[in-house]
Every structure is written in structure tokens, then in C-alpha cells.
Amino acid sequence: PPQQLLATMPTSSTLQGAPAVAPTMAWRRSNGTLRRSAGGSRFVRAGVAAGCLVLLLRLVAPGVFVGMGRNSKGSPERRRAATAATATAEVPTEVAAADTISEGEPLHVLVAGAGVGGLALANALDRLPNIKVTVLEKTSEFKRFGGPIQLASNAMQNLKELDAEMYGQIASKATWTGNLTNGIKDGIRSEWYAMFDLKSPAADRSMPFTCVVE
């Protein structure tokens, strides 16, 4: 209720260094009723705006108000603060980097994940000179989960060109499915929801068929 409001504003700002707000009547009593003073309202708004401006300037430029107060020259602490604020503007230093990749400065490649793609990439990069490869994998050991690993025709072709010996090891353990009937079934009904041809695209390009590896 207006009766519980203070009749005057504080005589000084709570912000250090902010200009003091002159005492003014924010409310006046007329015929037993408290009425708001228009002049007081203007003073209140001006005081709040000035305080906000001072606070903003203190945040943006801390050294602006150093030295304000009773002593125009400022205390030693404030002078030291001003010096420290000025000294914070340092010229960024440039980190020297090698312009060329060499045996002494190899290119370090991080491969995230030791899956089929990650291991194939690491294997290919490891054959190139002046490249250091690190494979990152959160699993500490190989564990079987889900179904078998499926390798499509283009994946098998890439592995064949990358490492013929590795391709031979995979092919010896593979179950070829690309030359069979392929589609989508639910495992209960005999009809196919959809069917797709994996044999013709591989045969037309002389690529290995799609396979799965247990």
C-alpha cells in the first residue's frame, strides 16, 4: 500500500562512484491521502537511469571511474587497478606451425571409431609417408552384439583395392547374399514387403557381391 512506502529517496547511490541523488519527495500527502509527486517521479527515473549507466560503464571500461570519489587523485589501490586494467591489453602471440609435412613434423590424423570404416581409413593412411594415425575407440575389446556385419559391393571393392590379403581373409569368412533374392520380410509371413536387386549392379560393374560376416 502507498502508506507503507518511504517518503524520500536515499541521499546517495548504492553504486560506488555514481552521482548522488538529491533528496526528493516521491509521495506527498494531500487531505490525508498520499499522492505521487510528478517531480519526484522524474528524479527517481533520472537517478535509476544514471545508476544503470554508471554500472554499465564500470562493466565495459573498468578504468573509467578509477580515481573518482572524495580524493580526486585516487587511492593507491585504485591507481594500481587502473594500471592493471591498461596492462591487460596484450598483443596476441602467434604459434609457429610447420609449413610442410615432413618426417620430423608428420600429419597427425585422429580417427574416431574403430568400426569398419575407421579401421579401413587408418589402414590406408598408415601406408602413406609422414602421417601418424591414432584410432580412438571407447570400447576396450571386441564384443558381438546384434546381427552380422554386412559389407556392400562397393565396400568390398574398396577393401579389395586397398589390401588384397585383407580382402581374401574377409571373403573366406563371408556369406554372400548379393547374388540371392533380397528384400524386406517380417520373419512371420512369407510375402515380401519390398524387394531390391543387389546382383545386377554388382555384376554390371564387375564388383564383388554384398556379403555378411559373422
Side-chain angles (χ1 to χ4, degrees), residues 2-10 23-29 34:
Q3 290 82 355
Q4 298 180 1
L5 295 176
L6 296 178
T8 60
M9 289 292 295
T24 180
M25 294 295 294
W27 298 84
R28 60 187 178 86
R29 185 177 298 277
L34 286 176

Side-chain angles (χ1 to χ4, degrees), residues 39-79:
S41 177
R42 288 194 295 269
F43 276 112
V44 170
R45 290 196 295 269
V48 172
C52 293
L53 178 60
V54 171
L55 179 59
L56 178 62
L57 290 177
R58 280 186 174 276
L59 294 175
V60 175
V64 172
F65 291 95
V66 174
M68 292 184 63
R70 298 179 180 178
N71 187 354
S72 60
K73 295 182 180 181
S75 63
E77 291 78 8
R78 292 182 176 179
R79 289 195 296 271

Side-chain angles (χ1 to χ4, degrees), residues 51-133:
C52 293
L53 178 60
V54 171
L55 179 59
L56 178 62
L57 290 177
R58 280 186 174 276
L59 294 175
V60 175
V64 172
F65 291 95
V66 174
M68 292 184 63
R70 298 179 180 178
N71 187 354
S72 60
K73 295 182 180 181
S75 63
E77 291 78 8
R78 292 182 176 179
R79 289 195 296 271
R80 285 194 294 269
T83 304
T86 306
T88 53
E90 300 178 355
V91 179
T93 58
E94 296 183 359
V95 179
D99 296 333
T100 58
I101 300 174
S102 62
E103 183 177 359
E105 293 290 341
L107 176 65
H108 193 182
V109 179
L110 300 178
V111 179
V116 176
L119 293 178
L121 175 61
N123 196 354
L125 293 176
D126 192 54
R127 298 163 182 251
L128 301 177
N130 305 327
I131 293 183
K132 179 182 178 181
V133 182

